[in-house]
Amino acid sequence: MEGTIPLTYYIIISAILFSMGALGVLIRRNALIIFMSIELMLNGANLAFVAFARNYHVITGQIFVFFVMTVAAAEVAVGLALIVAIFRSKNSIDVDQMSSLKG
Amino acid sequence: MENSGLFSLVPLIVFLPVLGLLTNIIFGQKLNEKAIGIIASTASGLVFVVSLLLGYGLLASGGHEQLVPLADWIQIGNLSIPWQFRVDTLSVTMMLVVSGVGTLIHIYAIGYMHEDVRFKNDTKRYARFFVFMNLFIAMMMILVSGDSYLMLFVGWEGVGLCSFLLIGFWYEMDTLARPSWANSNAAKKAFIANRIGDFGFLLAAFTMFWYFGSLQFGEVFASAEAIAASQPGVIMAITLFMLIGVTGKSAQIPLFVWLPDAMAGPTPVSALIHAATMVTAGVYLVARSWSLFNLVPEAQYIVALVGAFTALFSATIAVGQYDIKKVLAYSTISQLGFMVAAVGMGAYVACMFHLVVHAFFKALLFLSAGSVILGMERGHHHLPHHASGDGHSEEVFDPGDMRNMGGLRKQMPVTFWVYMIGALALAGIFPFAGFWSKDEILLDAARNHTLIYILLALAAFLTAFYMGRQIWMVFFGKARHEAADHAEESPKVITVPLMVLAGLSILGGALNLPYLENLGHWLEHSIEAVVEHGAEIQGYLAISWGGLNPVVALISTLVALVAIFLSWLLYGRRTLAKGEDDPLRKLLGPIYKVFENKYWVDEIYNAVFVNRFVDLAGFLAEKVDWDFWHDWLHDSVIARFFRWFTKFLANPIDLGIIDAISNGLANITQRSSNALRKVQNGFVRSYALSVLMGMVLILGYLLLK
Amino acid sequence: MDSMLIFFIVLALAAVASAVGLLVSRSAVYAALYLVINFASVAVFYLMLGAPFIALVQITVYAGAIMVLFLFVIMLLGAEKLPKGGSLPWQRPLAIGLSAVLFFEAGYLLLQKVQSSAVLLQPEAQINTMDAIRELGINLFSIYLLPFEVTSILLLVAMVGAIILTKQEKGAKE
């Protein structure tokens, strides 16, 4: 399927998704929601990659997305393991309670 | 001219003594005494040889003056004063006298100072003596060989300095080696009295420069007559100012007071400087300026009067003195008076003749007196109580006091005979040298200025009298002190120069015998106005046996013989016993007291002049320097200001400002760190916010680039 | 073409709305489900952009594996609703502002590149699905072989790490 949708639109969507992911990271207190916002940011970036790859007719963008996804998966695995471990010690997933670095 | 080579040697007369003194300064402490003395005497002797060569050169070339320039000294605008030597018969005469007699005295001093430094316990000072002596010879040579009044003045001042240095040679003691200010005071007195004379000389030089535009002899003398015609007062002023200088340097009234005190110096000094050479500098000055003096007969008469009065005045004082050297000192003043009177009368040749022979026999007398003093010292040291080695601290023994002497002709025969010869020459007994020179002066005085003749004749009478008194008291009779009993003759190094001088005193008359007039012809080349007043003379004064007038000669011989007979009556027929007082006191009564106290001249000067300066010096030292300057200005004003200033700097500035700055910096650091610490609040979200903020900023920067 | 544009806009709205839902939902489970919708719309975007393989991988990996993992963990940890009111009240406005700035900056930056070399999508460019996959495969195993291998090691490490991190000490807890 091809389309006459200008690249600009995709880019705007990508930017919106990215900013919203950033906002989520900053606003939410639940560690899991924060993690999900990070995935949202990654998605936005992936969208931009693919849009540019299509635009310049190179495959490199898609390959990059491939790798990003792989790494995102690995990251999620480890990150959730971390959250589980933290929950075990603090019995909460509220990041505001993890403030022992306070100086 | 084939003799020009000889004349180019003339700078050596200055530089040889300088070389000698430099050698003795640098190596003096390492050489032994003999070497030091030989170096100094050789330097002086070589100067004599050079002077002989110069004289020979003049003789061979007809006696015309030679000008030998050495270097440019002062060049300001039109004024040019080079260092130029003038070799003419007058200056060569002076050179020969100074260097000849000077060399003999240097040799004498080798032996004399050897004993003197041991009596005064300071053998290290031996070299310094000869340094000063050579310096004196150099300065005197500059004086007599200069071609301008300024060069003459350089030497004039130089010999004054050497006089100061040598009179005050033993500056920390008096003549009896006790610690005292006496010697240095005497040196100061000489210097200051000379200075007053120098002031007169300077005035003369300034006036001369103002009106003549030059100080060179040639130029001044050439234009003298013209100036005298156009501005008559100038020459009179110049010559009278010069007279002040002469009274200072040649010890005439009123500035003679330094010469008796100068006997505090060692005897060779008295002989060289204060008998033979330095004091004749004044006479030389007048002789050199003959063309100026001849233009102002009134000034000449004043000069002659001053000389004649001084001659009589000091002869009277000499009669009442006890110290052997003081008698000779006043005798020197008296004889200088003769010389000054002679130049005042225009009898330049007679004056120079008397200058030369006086140098011979006065040096002889002084050196012999030194030998006598040394003999008394040796005798004193050999006395039994002295052998225990207590030194001179308890008894005050004055080896020069004639009241302690007596009968020395047995212990010191050589000294006795040379002293006799000197005394006879001084008294003017035929055929010794003094007779011829004094007679010439008296003849000129008798022919032209009766008053001066009378004064000089009286002085001659007294001269013979006090010399006779001295001889009877010192050499005849019985010793009045044990030291005189044990006195010993001096060594050869002392007696040989004495014998040479004695020979010269006997034969010196040959310099200018009345018929031959060698010196007169010699000096004619330099001094062209030899007095010849023959036309106006009448009567017995006009008789001339080949230049010698028998009447005057007979009168002066009679006068001298009567004086010697009188002295024998008082002192020789029945010699003075120990402790006995001078018989003249009974004869003259209070007048004798006046003579003995030298008319209280020093006391009068002190009261009227000197103490004013002392008071002023005291005032300046105490009130101005100490109270005002030190106490008030330094302590109160300056010190307090500094203390206040320090406190001011310390408290408000150092503490207030500088400390405040450093403390403030620390405070700022602390407060900012307190503030910044709040960033670490431990919340991950806020850290993420700061990360995002950084990212935004970087992106913004990249956008705007 | 208009239809495409409408389709695109609807899809875009879906994506943005689901993102907003993720941000505001109080329940973790709801948030996860919103995210799934977002992933799905993005996958359709990929399809529209001629990357079928990527689209399917997106659904398989992201929506299928990752979100399931998320849901499992939510279940494990208890998706309690966190109390309102946070410790940093000033954070919210600032964060919103910053995100807005970030959006504008990112958009501007990315679009600048486009403006300089604006190449509209050619209508005649037909995308053959198999061609895209073949090209992806070829590139992946030739030029980008090293990153491929490294990524495999990365996955191994992640697995091992996840296991170790969640391992319980013996007898510490049951």
Side-chain angles (χ1 to χ4, degrees), chain B residues 28 45 52 87 174 196 211 240 317 385 465 524 593 631 652 675:
Chain B
L52 277 175
V87 182
D174 62 11
I196 300 174
Y211 286 99
L240 286 177
I317 299 181
H385 66 264
F465 179 76
E524 245 172 26
K593 198 150 190 260
D631 285 347

Side-chain angles (χ1 to χ4, degrees), chain A residues 3-72:
Chain A
T4 50
I5 300 167
L7 178 64
T8 323
Y9 291 22
Y10 286 108
I11 298 304
I12 293 177
I13 300 292
S14 156
I16 290 175
L17 288 179
F18 189 84
S19 334
M20 303 202 84
L23 191 60
V25 169
L26 295 174
I27 289 185
R28 299 305 299 256
R29 287 188 6 250
N30 193 328
L32 292 165
I33 310 284
I34 291 174
F35 224 141
M36 286 191 242
S37 311
I38 292 173
E39 296 306 316
L40 190 57
M41 286 162 79
L42 282 170
N43 255 347
N46 282 348
L47 185 58
F49 267 119
V50 177
F52 275 117
R54 172 80 166 104
N55 185 270
Y56 293 117
H57 287 273
V58 280
I59 200 67
T60 315
Q62 297 186 16
I63 294 187
F64 217 91
V65 172
F66 181 89
F67 285 118
V68 171
M69 283 191 194
T70 317
V71 172

Side-chain angles (χ1 to χ4, degrees), chain C:
Chain C
M1 300 205 13
D2 273 344
S3 60
M4 291 308 302
L5 194 60
I6 293 170
F7 183 60
F8 174 81
I9 291 176
V10 169
L11 213 51
L13 278 173
V16 174
S18 59
V20 174
L22 165 65
L23 284 181
V24 301
S25 75
R26 293 259 130 241
S27 158
V29 179
Y30 286 170
L33 293 174
Y34 277 127
L35 196 55
V36 173
I37 298 173
N38 192 46
F39 285 162
S41 48
V42 171
V44 181
F45 275 134
Y46 289 153
L47 275 176
M48 284 172 67
L49 285 170
F53 180 70
I54 299 295
L56 288 172
V57 168
Q58 166 97 344
I59 292 186
T60 315
V61 171
Y62 262 112
I66 292 179
M67 290 325 294
V68 170
L69 188 55
F70 261 111
L71 285 166
F72 264 117
V73 174
I74 290 170
M75 169 191 83
L76 204 58
L77 303 185
E80 72 271 21
K81 296 188 172 40
L82 296 171
K84 262 204 173 178
S87 317
L88 304 168
W90 47 267
Q91 170 113 339
R92 186 170 290 215
L94 194 56
I96 293 171
L98 266 179
S99 308
V101 173
L102 184 62
F103 162 66
F104 285 119
E105 281 182 351
Y108 184 67
L109 264 177
L110 290 170
L111 287 176
Q112 260 202 321
K113 291 294 157 195
V114 178
Q115 303 297 351
S116 53
S117 61
V119 174
L120 272 184
L121 295 168
Q122 284 87 10
E124 67 273 8
Q126 299 282 340
I127 301 163
N128 192 333
T129 309
M130 290 316 292
D131 279 344
I133 297 177
R134 183 183 299 130
E135 200 180 343
L136 189 66
I138 291 174
N139 271 302
L140 199 58
F141 284 103
S142 57
I143 304 174
Y144 299 103
L145 183 58
L146 181 60
F148 184 77
E149 299 298 334
V150 173
T151 313
S152 66
I153 295 180
L154 179 73
L155 288 171
L156 176 66
V157 169
M159 265 200 293
V160 171
I163 293 173
I164 291 181
L165 280 170
T166 49
K167 196 159 128 124
Q168 295 182 354
E169 278 95 31
K170 289 202 173 64
K173 245 178 148 175
E174 299 212 303

